[in-house]
Amino acid sequence: MSSNDSVHGMWSSRFMFILAAAGSAVGLGNIWRFPYVAGENGGGAFVLVYLVCIFLIGIPILTSEIFLGRAGRKSPINTMQGLVEHSGANKAWNVIGWMGALAGFMILSFYAVIAGWAMSYMFSSASGVFVDIDGAGASSVFNDFVGDPAQVLTWHGIFMLITIYIVGRGVANGLEQAVKYLMPALFLLLLLLVGYSANTSHFSEGVSFLFSFNVEKLTWNGVLIAMGQAFFTLSLGMGAIMSYGAYMPKDSSIVGSATIIALIDTSVALLAGIAIFPLVFANGLEISSGPGLMFVTLPLAFGQMSGGVIFGTMFFLLVTFAAITSAISLIEPALAWLVEHLHVSRLRGAILVGGVAWFVGLGSAFSTNIWSDVMVLPGMDFFTSMDYVSNNIMLPLGGMLIALFSGWAVDKSVSQDQLQLSPGQFAIWEILVRFIAPLAVGTVFVMTFI
Ligand code: PHE
């Protein structure tokens, strides 16, 4: 396969690749979704399964996605097609690219809705709404907001427009620079929140909820959700990282990069959890309150700390930014394919992909108000159903296929040339992607659905 540059542009260095991939990985999944799904699924045991999935399944598949992308240098759909042909593999493997682009649409559709919530919270915080607020007050601010379709729709639309604009401008213009400063700032603000939580009387209760690995509490459905969360948070299984790998310089270590990305991502999620759960206990809030968890707990902290108006505004601004750097990677697989296939400009392609995702997202925007009684899957509203199918089924399935393809079907000369591992290291990676990762995903599917 060619190792020339991609037509879509290239990251200027390995560092920039890691930054962009970490920007994709770190997002609402870490700060908003991780704490609330951990809360809904009993805490510690869930976190343990999540961590095992990150290290045993996540890093090896991350490695596969990056090297497949770099070997193909195209959109995931065309990268797969090229590698399938080159390796003389069965054409059915092409489903990886197509299913990934579809999953990207589905995730982006609800992702933009939640990112819209965060944007609106930036303004609420700036206008002092959270000053001295108590638990009941924070809950009612949240419920009033998500219960108002006009407000939710406005912010959902604004977020999508910003995303389209940035993606349309291209890979390297400005985005890399912004990620370089804003991600560390987000990290610092999270540390500040952890510091605040550490001074509440319920810090150890919150931390032990997250880290007391009490395995009896775990159901197979909980294991499935922990695995889905691991894929979601690493942006794995749908081609986002494959498309970023396509823009990665040739001579940089892939396994090393994958490990760094996973470590950054995991530490942000754990910090968010450590910041949030003590506040839940200290304020008598509901641990399994679902998608509203972050939006109800953090305003309490900002409302009480000095400088809270500024810190709160900055925090929601940074969360919004983290969401943008993830959203652009959700669009990239489909967009790159449109550019290659239909030769449309990036901006037009972004308008098309973003427009469709925005339209589908209306269902999620309405799930907390006018459509709150409309169930799509049994007991799940539109938003919950989209989230469940894309994160818990499509991403792990996509990841399993990527592992199998990279371990069994692709020409070994390609993987060896890309990974540059010693024979011993290569053998370990091969065992992980040939057997461990697919078997783990398969077992969880079988135990949950049969
Ligand atoms: N990883 C992102 C987050 O945690 C979400 C995402 C999923 C981005 C899949 C791209 C692909 O917020």
Side-chain angles (χ1 to χ4, degrees):
M1 297 293 295
S2 82
S3 54
N4 303 331
D5 289 0
S6 157
V7 297
H8 302 285
M10 295 287 288
W11 306 115
S12 44
S13 62
R14 173 187 184 221
F15 177 68
M16 281 306 176
F17 165 76
I18 292 180
L19 219 50
S24 164
V26 174
L28 297 173
N30 309 61
I31 302 163
W32 158 74
R33 197 173 187 274
F34 171 74
Y36 96 74
V37 289
E40 283 181 334
N41 291 283
F46 175 92
V47 175
L48 181 65
V49 178
Y50 159 82
L51 290 173
V52 169
C53 289
I54 295 277
F55 289 97
L56 218 58
I57 309 177
I59 294 181
I61 301 184
L62 202 52
T63 303
S64 295
E65 266 204 47
I66 299 171
F67 96 68
L68 293 174
R70 197 171 70 176
R73 291 265 187 247
K74 293 207 176 98
S75 67
I77 293 173
N78 284 333
T79 283
M80 284 305 303
Q81 248 153 25
L83 289 170
V84 164
E85 247 165 62
H86 175 83
S87 312
N90 192 311
K91 287 210 165 43
W93 289 112
N94 286 324
V95 72
I96 292 175
W98 293 103
M99 189 173 72
L102 179 66
F105 266 109
M106 293 172 63
I107 296 175
L108 180 63
S109 75
F110 66 81
Y111 204 83
V113 174
I114 312 295
W117 296 1
M119 281 182 91
S120 119
Y121 262 56
M122 186 167 94
F123 289 91
S124 307
S125 180
S127 61
V129 172
F130 304 138
V131 176
D132 287 332
I133 204 165
D134 61 7
S139 300
S140 81
V141 168
F142 176 71
N143 291 332
D144 288 349
F145 170 71
V146 296
D148 180 354
Q151 291 235 38
V152 175
L153 275 192
T154 306
W155 292 108
H156 168 219
I158 294 176
F159 180 83
M160 198 61 97
L161 284 177
I162 296 177
T163 304
I164 290 172
Y165 175 74
I166 295 180
V167 179
R169 291 193 41 141
V171 177
N173 286 349
L175 191 81
E176 290 184 345
Q177 294 306 317
V179 182
K180 191 152 73 181
Y181 298 105
L182 293 171
M183 299 306 275
L186 178 67
F187 206 78
L188 285 181
L189 267 187
L190 269 177
L191 285 178
L192 175 91
L193 278 171
V194 169
Y196 176 84
S197 276
N199 286 316
T200 66
S201 50
H202 292 69
F203 187 65
S204 57
E205 202 180 334
V207 172
S208 77
F209 174 75
L210 269 182
F211 296 108
S212 54
F213 300 140
N214 194 342
V215 189
E216 300 96 72
K217 282 202 199 143
L218 212 61
T219 60
W220 277 106
N221 195 48
V223 175
L224 176 76
I225 295 172
M227 183 173 79
Q229 172 63 21
F231 277 92
F232 180 72
T233 194
L234 290 178
S235 306
L236 215 54
M238 49 75 58
I241 296 294
M242 201 185 288
S243 66
Y244 277 16
Y247 318 143
M248 184 192 195
K250 176 74 171 82
D251 300 314
S252 32
S253 151
I254 291 184
V255 176
S257 309
T259 310
I260 296 173
I261 296 162
L263 288 176
I264 295 176
D265 186 73
T266 306
S267 35
V268 173
L270 294 179
L271 282 178
I274 297 172
I276 283 178
F277 283 109
L279 298 171
V280 173
F281 292 110
N283 292 283
L285 295 164
E286 187 54 56
I287 199 100
S288 56
S289 56
L293 189 66
M294 165 182 114
F295 294 93
V296 175
T297 46
L298 295 187
L300 290 167
F302 293 125
Q304 286 156 18
M305 67 173 70
S306 58
V309 169
I310 294 172
F311 287 135
T313 310
M314 267 174 64
F315 177 81
F316 286 109
L317 174 77
L318 293 171
V319 169
T320 304
F321 198 85
I324 293 175
T325 58
S326 301
I328 57 175
S329 72
L330 286 162
I331 293 191
E332 190 63 26
L335 172 60
W337 181 77
L338 281 177
V339 172
E340 287 163 7
H341 197 71
L342 300 180
H343 305 292
V344 295
S345 68
R346 279 188 70 90
L347 184 60
R348 275 180 194 220
I351 292 173
L352 194 66
V353 181
V356 175
W358 172 82
F359 182 74
V360 178
L362 295 179
S364 294
F366 292 146
S367 289
T368 49
N369 40 68
I370 54 178
W371 285 3
S372 59
D373 294 333
V374 180
M375 299 296 140
V376 178
L377 294 175
M380 296 186 207
D381 59 24
F382 189 93
F383 157 71
T384 315
S385 307
M386 282 300 246
D387 175 297
Y388 191 88
V389 173
S390 50
N391 297 336
N392 299 338
I393 299 174
M394 294 173 82
L395 295 186
L397 186 62
M400 176 162 102
L401 293 176
I402 289 168
L404 290 170
F405 179 75
S406 65
W408 295 99
V410 88
D411 254 1
K412 228 181 180 153
S413 60
V414 175
S415 45
Q416 278 170 338
D417 173 51
Q418 287 291 335
L419 294 181
Q420 297 290 336
L421 296 172
S422 70
Q425 292 168 325
F426 189 82
I428 296 176
W429 169 79
E430 206 168 45
I431 291 172
L432 287 168
V433 293
R434 281 188 164 188
F435 303 105
I436 311 275
L439 277 176
V441 176
T443 308
V444 179
F445 276 161
V446 168
M447 297 308 284
T448 316
F449 297 114
I450 293 181

